[in-house]
Amino acid sequence: MEDQTLHFRHILLFYFHKGKNARQACKKLRKVYGGNALQERQCQRWFMKFRAGDFDLNDAPRSGRPTKVDDDKIKALIKSNPRYTTREIAEALNIHHSSVHDHLKKLGYVRKFDIWVPHELKEVHLMARINICDMLIKREENDPFLKRLITGDEKWIVYNNVVPKPSWTQQDDSPQMISKADIHQRKVMLSVWWDFKGVVFFELLPRNRTINSNVYCQQLDSLNESIIQKRPELVDRKGVVFHHDSARPHTSLITRQKLLELGWDVLPHPPYSPDLAPSDFYLFRSLQNSLRGITFDSDEAVNQHLVQFFSPFQSRSILDTSSESGRHRIESTGHGRPRCFQAEYIPQKQQCLHQVMRMSRYYKEGHSSWKQ
């Protein structure tokens, strides 16, 4: 780019010595080089310089003009601290911050916000994710267990789920004012357990009550009664394969003793891994979509909505999408079958391990602010 600009100035000097004016020289220049040539105002400034007897075609040094920058020095600073701003880099290299911005753009760097993660995983946690996923894949290949799997989790159901939307007003009118949702707004805790056929049992806790080990053990007894009534084949044959995350009430000594008493086969769950919990990435996402724009006035209204939402899951297997109702459910919720239940997903050991390895490496290396 600098060589081309210097070439244009040589052409202007040539036309100046031939007795042309700035407009004529600019017209000839743009006729040959098109829009890449100098503007007429630039040509006029150079002709004024030539008339004053100054035929130096190089730019005179002045404050604010970008100087030569060593790209390796910028890369070294970014590598040492990816959160440096352009002004901090400019101050360290004694150059203008706009030059830093141009060089970063040329090097392919962009500014990105870090992504918050629930917990910074240690090496032992990363290996646990890989080992557990590998073990579950091998188990499914040798002894299929997904149709025996019952999984569950908890979720807060908020009474006011109205989402602000823009409204039509005249251009000069002020926007309408609405009150912000209270930070301590009314909500109720939902506990739900489900399998590939649908929801087995769910419960709304009384207001201002949360999950602890004693409450969770009582819920497991109620879940066991529902399994006996709704899934007798699990009780009569190989038994229940149970899955829940590693929340404290789920892993306490009292809970572990209760699960031993029930005789369920409990699957391991790596710590700090909500992306591997089916309820989080499938059921609760669809439930949250169904709650958008709804305001409840009582616990009974919340319960009625949940019964209505869970009823399509009860009618047909979640694995079965061949029917019209199954396709409609997927289209209306915006989500298909849960990934852990997809027949084409489970046998692909390499694909799953690749995903876990990629996520584990992401947590391990961190997420830089400057990424190429």
Side-chain angles (χ1 to χ4, degrees), residues 119-245:
H119 188 82
E120 185 175 357
L121 298 184
K122 300 179 181 178
E123 187 72 25
V124 63
H125 299 145
L126 302 177
M127 294 308 301
R129 286 169 57 87
I130 297 172
N131 294 335
I132 290 176
C133 286
D134 190 22
M135 182 269 290
L136 294 178
I137 292 173
K138 291 179 179 177
R139 176 175 175 175
E140 174 63 19
E141 291 174 351
N142 298 325
D143 181 22
F145 66 91
L146 289 179
K147 291 189 177 182
R148 297 161 49 205
L149 177 65
I150 291 182
T151 183
D153 210 341
E154 295 84 26
K155 173 180 172 59
W156 285 109
I157 304 296
V158 181
Y159 275 58
N160 183 10
N161 298 278
V162 175
V163 179
K165 295 182 179 180
S167 56
W168 292 103
T169 59
Q170 293 294 327
Q171 185 174 0
D172 298 332
D173 292 346
S174 300
Q176 298 182 11
M177 292 185 294
I178 58 174
S179 59
K180 203 171 186 179
D182 187 3
I183 191 173
H184 301 296
Q185 58 180 317
R186 295 175 63 187
K187 57 185 179 181
V188 61
M189 173 71 77
L190 166 68
S191 298
V192 59
W193 291 266
W194 54 289
D195 64 357
F196 81 102
K197 291 184 178 180
V199 174
V200 179
F201 173 74
F202 77 90
E203 180 183 40
L204 290 175
L205 293 183
R207 198 175 305 165
N208 300 325
R209 187 178 179 185
T210 57
I211 296 292
N212 56 37
S213 299
N214 294 326
V215 173
Y216 192 65
C217 289
Q218 295 174 6
Q219 291 180 329
L220 291 179
D221 287 329
S222 301
L223 173 62
N224 186 46
E225 294 177 2
S226 295
I227 292 175
I228 294 174
Q229 295 177 3
K230 298 179 180 180
R231 307 289 189 268
E233 66 278 5
L234 295 181
V235 181
D236 298 337
R237 296 180 185 177
K238 291 187 177 182
V240 174
V241 176
F242 187 70
H243 172 267
H244 55 189
D245 60 23

Side-chain angles (χ1 to χ4, degrees), residues 40-108:
E40 184 175 340
R41 182 60 181 167
Q42 294 174 294
C43 296
Q44 291 174 353
R45 284 199 297 266
W46 281 102
F47 268 69
M48 288 175 61
K49 186 177 179 180
F50 296 154
R51 293 190 192 100
D54 185 0
F55 299 105
D56 186 5
L57 301 180
N58 295 315
D59 291 317
R62 59 186 178 88
S63 61
R65 180 172 295 278
T67 58
K68 287 188 176 181
V69 182
D70 189 352
D71 292 340
D72 293 334
K73 291 183 179 180
I74 295 181
K75 289 182 178 180
L77 286 173
I78 296 257
K79 186 176 181 180
S80 63
N81 186 359
R83 294 173 181 80
Y84 274 139
T85 64
T86 55
R87 294 185 181 275
E88 290 172 338
I89 297 175
E91 184 178 353
L93 299 179
N94 195 25
I95 58 177
H96 197 270
H97 70 89
S98 62
S99 298
V100 177
H101 181 272
D102 294 339
H103 279 266
L104 288 172
K105 187 176 180 180
K106 183 178 68 175
L107 292 172

